[in-house]
Structure formats: structure tokens, C-alpha cells
Amino acid sequence: MPPIITLHGLSRHFGDKIAVDAIDLEIAPGTFLGFLGPNGAGKTTTVRMITGLLAPTAGDAEIAGHSIRREPVAVKRQIGVVPDTLALFDRLSLWEHLTLVGQVYGLSSTETESRATELLQLLGLWDDRATYAVDASHGMRKKLALAIALIHAPRILFLDEPFEGIDPIAGKVLRDLLRRLSQSGTTIFLTSHILEVVERLVDRLTIIVKGRIVLDDSLATLRQGGRSLEEIFIGAAGVDAAAGVELKWLGGE
Amino acid sequence: MIAAVFAPYQWRAQWRDLRQRGAWRGSNVATVIVLGIVGSMAQAGLSAAALAAIAAGDQATGLALAEAGLTGVLIAWIMLPVLVHSIAGGGAGVILQRLTQFPLSTPQVFTVGMVGTLIQPIYWVLILTSLLALAPLALAPRAGLALVAGLLYVVAVAVLSWAIGLAVGAVMSSRRGREIALTITAVLVFGFIPLLFGDFEHDGGQITFTLAKYEVVLLAPDAQSGLLLDVGRWMPAARIGAAARGEGAGWTLLALAAATAIGLCLSLVSLRRLITQPAQSLGSVRSRTSAITGLPGLPAVLGVPAMKEVRYLLRTLDALLAFAFAVIAAIWILIRPDDARLVLILCLPIIVLNEMVMPLNVFGLDGKAVDRYRLLPLSGAQVVLGKNIAFVLVLLLEFALPVLAGAWRAGVVFTTSALCAALAAVCLMMAWGNQVSVRSPAPRAFFNFDSKEQAGGILSMLGTILLWLVPFLLGLLARELGGHAALLAAEFLLLVAAASLYAATLPSAGRAFDARAEEMRARLAGQG
């Protein structure tokens, strides 16, 4: 089966700084990929390039057979995204966000409202549907961004740190939902720092460090020998140089 | 002192900000500074004339000129925060709301904001101008007292100008405050309606206003020559002149000290509210829970984002003010048919220019959410076109009442001509505004009449205002040459030409939107 996501030498430079350095990656349909890396490794930059939020300096990404450089609109029809910034309109209500996005993806108003109702009820947002995004809590905003990403039933889902800042109940709802989506064949590209969650969800792991992919394999293979995901991650990413520093002045009298 | 800790960082942030913002906003800052230097030179001339008059023994003229200069200082201190960052507007790299994470009292936050404002070069020009305005007082009979009063006057004016800016911001950030402010505005505006029933008469140099049996002389010929000199006498600056002559100096100093204290108190109360209370939103719960639907005849990729934008625009104060103005203009046209044509051709540009920031900065209200458009399956041209459709729809709603009233009172042909002329100007504004919006967007606030950070800067705004001369002059020429039929034909052809120009420039704006994702996001997040 041909890959549904292919990255060819994808690079991004910010002035002299190389954020992503010519990465190549192929992801089969239905994969639940955990894309991990330390802070500043290039995770968010990669997701932003693949989803059309940031132009690559070099290389290309093919999503479901469409190039993000040449056919960005065709790519966006196939994907749902929870970006790092969430990209919510401050003065639109939760309900208005979903009805706007659903119809832009070509759903009828009836279908959009039906899906919006179900999503808001599933994510525990129904009672707050009249709240403006700017007045919503961080967790509510995260859940709204997820609902927006799902409303058009995308084939591929990109989630940039979706578990940050949400409560345990919402976390469980989100985990169950993602597991169900994965089982139904949706390809999921997840970045997260919460290794326990990643460990429970993904079937393939890619680790990026300083803009380069340093590890890419199935989770089952990586865990042979009984290593935890934390050990795998630290082994691939390297120990922080500052780990030995003691702050003796902290916590004293 | 806490302000001294922040000042070096504010100083660096200011220069980095100016360097990074590039030519567009650089020109904005440069324009204000050039205007300030011109004003400062004019003040120097006025002060030199005042000094010469006092030295020549004409104390009355000298002090009158000094008072006029001090009145100019008052106006400059009031106007400047409108043109550049106000004390609460995040000038010089510090957003005051972010200081609440530190253990700082409100007076300390105010001091940091004040220092951040005063280190901007334009304020140096203003301070220099203020000192120049005080110079003639050095030759006054009671020079020492006059200089102290003059300095206190400048301090009071500066503090009160900040206090007013902060108080307006605080009032506008609460829904109840906005309702009260709008009610007061409406009462004041409608209070002028009786003027519409009266008659202004010009007779020689004299202007009189008659309402029922009462007659008021507004301007007599013999007053004209002294008008400029006497401007200052109506303002607080007159008290400084009096103090310089030794009249009521104690009361003047007391009043200025009291004004400064009141300004400080008002500033602190308003600032506390601004930094601790989030702005409350416009828009009823009913409107928030109704689905956004598209427009008949338009594909969803255009109609649905356009209707989103319509809701956004209608939730701004600018739109509310435009609707209030449209209602007043329509009433005026209906009750004063003789003025109908004049009111109609004036009210349409005023409604549009009141909302000038909408076409000049179409992504300003979106902020970082501009990314959402890039995640949706829309091309850049579709995004920009949706924004423009929304603006035109809002304008047509606002135009409806005055145009209907105009069609009745000023005639269908004239009204159609005026509407064509206005829409032609709007097309030109949008053609220009789209380019500015994608190349130099700036974040906008919903709840104040935020003229500080318009995309494209002051030159762009001035150009947009002057642009209205095109349909106006064309209309005058056409009417002189061929009457109302020629007027209609000319304005219609202008509309076709302007719409063609708009259509021709839309693709380039769309391409620029697609290509400038990162820069736009950074600017709209306030980081660019």
C-alpha cells in the first residue's frame, strides 16, 4: 500500500538556524505515529510545514498523493489539524466555529449542525457552546480545536501537543477517541511530551533531535528488551547537559 | 525604583521594534516625528514672537501669544496618544497586563507604562515643544511664579491626557460601560438635531443662527481679526497668562495641582481595571448560538467565511457608530430636504472612513487565528475576497437608511450617482487595503477606536482619505458639463473602472497571503 504521508528532504531554515534539516519519512495509511523530540527539536516546525502553515525552505511533503507546495488546498481537504496555537477566532463562539468550518469543508448546514452537536456533547462542551473562544478556558479551547479538526472526518489527523493543559477526564475522552479513530483507519500524526500517553496510543515512533530524525521504528520493535519509552527517548535524544547542575540556593532558609 | 529596572529593556525593545517593523510602520513613526518637528518649529516661532512683543513692552500681545502656544501644547498632548501608542498600548515593548505576574502595585505599573511612553522619540519632541511654549513666561512680570505654573500646567496636561486615554479604555472594556458611552453619545448627537430646524445666515462677515424667535450671533466681523489670538483665552492656558501678570496665581497653582492629582487618581483606577479585567464581548447569546450560514448564490468557500466576517465586523464599536451616524443622516435628509444632497454626499464617505481600518487591515481582528484560514481548504484569493464581500455587505446595511431617504428627498438619479461614487471609492480602498493587509497587518482591538496601529500607517490613511476626491471631483466636473445624467454616467463608469482595478489586484493579494504565512502570523501576534 503506498504511503499516505511522504516527506522528501523537508527543510526549514530561520536565517542561519536550521530548524528542520532535510528529513525523509514515509507513513503508511492507518498508522498512529508518535513524533517526539526535546524542546526546539523541530517537531512543531515539521507539523506546520506539512499542514501548510509554514513554507518549507527546501523539499516537499506529499499528503494522500498531493504536494503541499503545488496543491495545498487539495491537501487541506484530506487533513484535520490541531495546531500549536489552536488558531481560534477570539470573538466567535464554540458553536460558530464548528458551523463555519463544517460548511467550508462542503458539509450541508444540517449535517454540520448535527456533527457539531455530537462533537460538543462528546467533548463536554455543549453547555458552553455560546462562549466566545477568548472567554473559554485553555482546556475548552483545546477540545474545540480538536472538534474543528474532526468535523469533516479527515483521513489524516495532525495533533500538536493535544494533551497539554487538559484535565484527566478530557484526557481520557481524547485518548479513547483517538484510539477509535486509529482503529477505524484514520492516520494520526501526534506530537506530545507526555510519554505515558504516547506509549499507550501509538504504534510507531519517530524521534527528531536538532532538526534530524534520529530514530524511526515501530513501538513494538523498540520496546523489545523491556525498555520503557522514557528510556528509549532519553537514549535517542541524549541526556540534558544541565542535568548535573544543582541549585543549592533554592529551597534553603 | 521599579521603572529604572524596566527602562533599559524598554529602551532596547523600542529600537529593536522600530528596526524589525520595516518600512511600513517605520514610515508611520517617521511621519509622526516629522509632524512633531514641524509643530515644534511653529511653536518656536510663536514663542520668539511672544518674547519679542514682551521685550518691546507689548505685554498683552506677548502673553496672548504665549497662551495660544500653551493651548497648542494642550491639544498636542491630547492628540499624540491617539497617533502613537498610548500608555496602556504596549508601547516600548511592555504590555502592562503582563506585569501583573510580578509583585508590583498599580502605581508601579503606571510608572513603568509612563516611562515606556516617555522614552519614545516623539515624546521628546513634545516635551521640547512644551518647554519652548514656556519660554515667553521667563520675561513676564511675575516670571518665577509664571514658570512654576507653566511647568505644572504641562505636567497636569500630560497626566490628564493619559488619564482620559486610560479611562476611555477602561469604560470601553466593559459591556455596561460601552452601553452608557453609546447612550451619552446618542443623547449628545441627537441633542444637536434642534440645530437642523434652525437657520444659519451669512451676512457680510457675520454669521447668525436663528431658532424660532431666538437669534444668536456666532461670529461678528470685528471679532475675526482677534479670533486667533483669543483662542487661548477660552482654554486653561489663560490662567497661566493671568498668573504671569500676578492675577490669581495661588488659585491657579492650586487648581493645577488638583487637576494633576485627579488625573493620577483616574489613571490608577482605570489602569487597575484595564490590567485585571478582561474586555467583555459584544454579541448576544442568541447570535452566538445561531449557525453561520452562507450567502445565496455564492459557494460555501466564499459565503460562509464572508458571513463569519460580517458577524465579526458587526461586533465592533466602529460598526455601531456607523449605524448611529447613518440613522442621524437619514433623519437629517428626511426633515431638511434642502440639505438632502449635501448630507447624502457627505454621510457616505463619513460612514466608510469611520470604518477605514476594516479594508486597510482585514486580518487585524483575527490575530493569531489567521492560521485558521490557512488550515481550511481555501486559496488566499478566496480568503481575501470573503473579507471584502463582508465589508461591502456591512456597508450596504449601513448605507440603506440614508440611501432610501436620499432617493426620496434628493432624487433617484442623484442618489444612485452618490452610491456609485461611494462604491467606486470603496473598491479603490479595498484594492489598496488588500495589499497593505497582507504585507503589513497589525493586531486590532475590538473595544476601542484603535487608530494607533493601522496597517500601512498614517500615510496610508491619509492617502485613503484623499482617494475620495476622485469620485467627488469627477462628479463636480460631470454635473457642470452635463447635469445629473452625465453625473450618473460618470460615476457609474468610475465604479466599473474601480471594480476592474480591484478584480485585477485581488490575485496578487491572494498570492501574497499564501506566501507570507509566517510574517503575517508574527505581525498579527504582535511579534513582527
Side-chain angles (χ1 to χ4, degrees), chain A residues 12 14 48 51-54 73 76-77 79 81 83-93 95-97 99-101 103-106 109 113 129-132 134-135 145 148-149, chain B residues 279-285 287-294 300-301 304-305 308 311-312 315 365-366 368-379 382 446-447 515 517-518 521:
Chain A
R12 178 66 205 198
F14 294 103
R48 292 179 71 80
T51 56
L53 290 175
L54 187 64
V73 175
K76 288 168 191 176
R77 290 198 180 282
I79 65 174
V81 186
D84 58 332
T85 60
L86 304 183
L88 301 175
F89 296 108
D90 280 352
R91 257 81 191 184
L92 283 192
S93 69
W95 180 253
E96 288 175 314
H97 270 94
T99 54
L100 165 75
V101 173
Q103 290 177 89
V104 170
Y105 278 104
S109 58
E113 290 187 41
R129 64 191 181 283
T131 305
Y132 281 146
V134 72
D135 299 327
I148 291 170
Chain B
Q280 294 173 355
S281 305
L282 286 173
S284 65
V285 168
S287 78
R288 298 181 199 182
T289 50
S290 66
I292 294 178
T293 52
V301 288
V304 179
K308 170 263 164 188
R311 290 193 187 198
Y312 242 41
R315 288 169 187 172
L365 292 173
D366 293 322
K368 283 189 286 186
V370 71
D371 274 355
R372 179 57 59 190
Y373 290 113
R374 301 182 193 286
L375 293 173
L376 294 172
L378 301 171
S379 68
Q382 286 172 326
F446 266 80
F447 303 117
E518 197 184 338
R521 180 172 169 272

Side-chain angles (χ1 to χ4, degrees), chain B residues 64-428:
Chain B
L65 287 169
E67 288 168 15
L70 287 169
T71 301
V73 167
L74 172 80
I75 293 167
W77 275 100
I78 291 171
M79 290 302 295
L80 194 62
V82 178
L83 296 174
V84 298
H85 273 306
S86 68
I87 199 164
V94 172
I95 294 169
L96 296 185
Q97 280 85 345
R98 292 186 189 160
L99 295 182
T100 51
Q101 64 181 300
F102 298 114
L104 300 179
S105 64
T106 307
Q108 285 174 316
V109 173
F110 177 73
T111 312
V112 172
M114 194 178 66
V115 170
T117 301
L118 290 178
I119 62 175
Q120 296 176 65
I122 183 58
Y123 276 90
W124 308 345
V125 176
L126 184 54
I127 291 168
L128 175 69
T129 309
S130 304
L131 293 176
L132 283 171
L134 296 178
L137 300 177
L139 292 186
R142 303 287 298 274
L145 208 53
L147 283 171
V148 171
L151 275 173
L152 199 50
Y153 169 84
V154 172
V155 171
V157 163
V159 169
L160 283 170
S161 86
W162 287 328
I164 291 166
L166 288 167
V168 169
V171 167
M172 290 298 178
S173 71
S174 85
R175 183 181 299 186
R176 177 59 56 86
R178 288 194 295 273
E179 286 167 0
I180 292 170
L182 280 171
T183 306
I184 292 171
T185 307
V187 168
L188 285 175
V189 169
F190 281 99
F192 282 105
I193 283 186
L195 289 179
L196 305 181
F197 297 100
D199 281 311
F200 289 94
E201 284 180 10
H202 305 247
D203 182 16
Q206 180 166 305
I207 300 174
T208 55
F209 172 68
T210 310
L211 178 62
K213 61 181 180 180
Y214 302 103
E215 183 177 281
V216 181
V217 178
L218 296 178
L219 185 63
D222 58 347
Q224 281 181 316
S225 57
L227 190 64
L228 181 65
L229 273 182
D230 284 345
V231 165
R233 296 195 180 281
W234 293 93
M235 307 298 281
R239 299 309 315 155
I240 309 298
R245 288 188 291 271
E247 299 163 10
W251 285 111
T252 300
L253 290 174
L254 196 63
L256 289 170
T260 308
I262 290 168
L264 281 172
C265 290
L266 183 61
S267 297
L268 294 179
V269 170
S270 306
L271 185 61
R272 186 175 297 135
R273 180 175 176 83
L274 271 177
I275 61 179
T276 55
Q277 303 283 328
Q280 294 173 355
S281 305
L282 286 173
S284 65
V285 168
R286 192 176 163 192
S287 78
R288 298 181 199 182
T289 50
S290 66
I292 294 178
T293 52
L295 287 163
L298 276 183
V301 288
L302 285 179
V304 179
M307 288 309 288
K308 170 263 164 188
E309 195 65 15
V310 167
R311 290 193 187 198
Y312 242 41
L313 297 181
L314 292 180
R315 288 169 187 172
T316 61
L317 286 175
D318 309 65
L320 289 180
L321 191 67
F323 276 113
F325 188 79
V327 170
I328 292 164
I331 292 171
W332 195 330
I333 289 168
L334 289 175
I335 62 178
R336 293 293 297 263
D338 292 347
D339 295 340
R341 288 181 179 168
L342 180 65
V343 173
L344 187 65
I345 59 172
L346 284 178
C347 85
L348 299 183
I350 289 173
I351 287 171
V352 179
L353 292 174
N354 164 64
E355 297 169 325
M356 173 164 56
V357 65
M358 293 179 182
L360 284 183
N361 189 13
V362 299
F363 298 100
L365 292 173
D366 293 322
K368 283 189 286 186
V370 71
D371 274 355
R372 179 57 59 190
Y373 290 113
R374 301 182 193 286
L375 293 173
L376 294 172
L378 301 171
S379 68
Q382 286 172 326
V383 173
V384 176
L385 180 57
K387 296 266 182 189
N388 294 154
I389 290 171
F391 178 58
V392 172
L393 283 175
V394 169
L395 280 183
L396 290 177
L397 281 175
E398 292 163 350
F399 284 174
L401 281 178
V403 164
L404 287 174
W408 183 19
R409 294 298 199 188
V412 173
V413 172
F414 185 87
T415 304
T416 309
S417 307
L419 187 59
C420 286
L423 292 177
V426 168
C427 285
L428 295 176

Side-chain angles (χ1 to χ4, degrees), chain A residues 67-83:
Chain A
S67 156
I68 190 66
R69 279 183 180 277
R70 294 187 303 277
E71 307 159 277
V73 175
V75 168
K76 288 168 191 176
R77 290 198 180 282
Q78 307 294 326
I79 65 174
V81 186
V82 176

